[in-house]
Amino acid sequence: MNWDIVEGNWKQFKGKAKEQWGKLTDDDLDVIAGKRDQLAGRVQEAYGVSKEEAEKQIRDFETRHKDWRQ
């Protein structure tokens, strides 16, 4: 997944992130603004998971949304 593209299209993409991580608030998603490292940190905080687990969840998410790769 090309996160530069995700960042540029974040308003359209954040709905997919909200579906995956429902505990993230709209404010969280606005702060993330398509930045992968921000997403990982917010997932860790909201779900109380390790950095490794947050990264795994993001990789799984990327796999499911391959259409965003370029």
Side-chain angles (χ1 to χ4, degrees):
M1 176 173 288
N2 185 328
W3 283 88
D4 290 332
I5 292 170
V6 171
E7 193 171 339
N9 294 289
W10 186 242
K11 285 186 180 183
Q12 293 83 10
F13 195 78
K14 71 181 184 179
K16 295 180 187 297
K18 182 75 170 176
E19 288 175 18
Q20 174 71 31
W21 296 285
K23 288 184 180 180
L24 297 181
T25 66
D26 288 334
D27 287 342
D28 288 331
L29 295 169
D30 289 341
V31 168
I32 291 165
K35 294 176 180 67
R36 192 181 192 285
D37 60 331
Q38 290 285 327
L39 176 59
R42 295 291 170 144
V43 168
Q44 279 182 264
E45 289 176 19
Y47 289 89
V49 297
S50 67
K51 181 177 181 177
E52 293 78 18
E53 176 59 24
E55 290 293 333
K56 179 188 177 302
Q57 289 182 23
I58 293 170
R59 283 192 306 273
D60 292 346
F61 181 75
E62 290 170 338
T63 300
R64 282 193 305 280
H65 298 288
K66 291 177 188 171
D67 57 317
W68 283 85
R69 290 184 187 194
Q70 299 213 3

